[in-house]
Amino acid sequence: MRATRTIGPALGASLVLLLAACGEDTPDTGVDPSAETSSSESPTETPTETPSAAPVEPVDFGTEPAVAPRYKKAALRATSDDLITMVPSTLPEGWTTVGGGYQPDPQWWRMEFTAPTGDVVLDQMPGTSDDALADQPDLTAADDVDLSDWGTGAWSAWDHEGATVLAYDLKGSTVVLQGPDVETVRGLAETLLPADEAGEQEG
């Protein structure tokens, strides 16, 4: 895994919202630089910001695709290779898209985000969640997350050394989301649509 990340035909129109979300080439890490300089000056002050979650290692699926801030070509290629690419129709408040990437062999679609609580990664690959996660020794099963109201249904949930992992099986592939806690990861899962439908959403 990269050490710099801690926690992976109608599409042209569908990525308008996503490309707007990642317009800055420099990713927003969500770190307030002033927080470190002022913490020692007034020991009696109560911090107004919630401290960032401790960095966690995401599940290691191997050498992931390169992630670029502008990823439209990668998404188009994944779709043309018949991977039902899942993308957010809109991002939760305070989130930034870092980028996305695709590799064709083995197929692997990845998107990376920063949220106010930490980094979040979307990985999508052929097979089922059992196939993708079977060889991961540090996963502990948790209660499923029901997203029936958002059109998907039950997502399998695990704890991975303090991080939250959610997985959902599609026809022929699985989507695996990873982030610092259940609420953060669920916030992304609630927004996901197939790429060819995401462009129909407003806002």
Side-chain angles (χ1 to χ4, degrees), residues 60-121:
D60 186 356
F61 293 116
T63 304
E64 69 266 22
V67 175
R70 304 274 182 187
Y71 53 87
K72 182 177 179 180
K73 285 175 78 174
L76 286 167
R77 182 154 185 210
T79 301
S80 68
D81 285 348
D82 297 324
L83 188 67
I84 303 172
T85 311
M86 296 296 281
V87 297
S89 57
T90 185
L91 286 176
E93 185 176 352
W95 287 52
T96 301
T97 304
V98 176
Y102 173 68
Q103 70 180 25
D105 188 18
Q107 277 191 309
W108 188 347
W109 167 246
R110 167 169 277 216
M111 294 187 75
E112 295 181 357
F113 310 89
T114 57
T117 52
D119 294 337
V120 184
V121 177

Side-chain angles (χ1 to χ4, degrees), residues 29-185:
T29 60
V31 175
D32 179 4
S34 64
E36 293 181 1
T37 57
S38 62
S39 61
S40 61
E41 293 173 5
S42 305
T44 57
E45 279 186 24
T46 303
T48 57
E49 297 281 336
T50 304
S52 298
V56 292
E57 280 297 319
V59 171
D60 186 356
F61 293 116
T63 304
E64 69 266 22
V67 175
R70 304 274 182 187
Y71 53 87
K72 182 177 179 180
K73 285 175 78 174
L76 286 167
R77 182 154 185 210
T79 301
S80 68
D81 285 348
D82 297 324
L83 188 67
I84 303 172
T85 311
M86 296 296 281
V87 297
S89 57
T90 185
L91 286 176
E93 185 176 352
W95 287 52
T96 301
T97 304
V98 176
Y102 173 68
Q103 70 180 25
D105 188 18
Q107 277 191 309
W108 188 347
W109 167 246
R110 167 169 277 216
M111 294 187 75
E112 295 181 357
F113 310 89
T114 57
T117 52
D119 294 337
V120 184
V121 177
L122 178 158
D123 290 300
Q124 187 171 350
M125 55 205 71
T128 66
S129 55
D130 287 343
D131 296 333
L133 301 173
D135 296 330
Q136 301 297 330
D138 299 318
L139 291 177
T140 303
D143 292 336
D144 288 354
V145 173
D146 185 6
L147 297 182
S148 298
D149 290 344
W150 286 267
T152 50
W155 288 63
S156 302
W158 292 270
D159 177 88
H160 179 254
E161 299 181 344
T164 292
V165 177
L166 295 183
Y168 183 73
D169 290 339
L170 296 167
K171 182 179 179 181
S173 69
T174 189
V175 180
V176 180
L177 307 180
Q178 302 177 68
D181 55 62
V182 173
E183 292 76 17
T184 299
V185 180

Side-chain angles (χ1 to χ4, degrees), residues 185-199:
V185 180
R186 180 187 175 122
L188 178 61
E190 290 173 357
T191 73
L192 293 182
L193 289 173
D196 59 355
E197 296 177 20

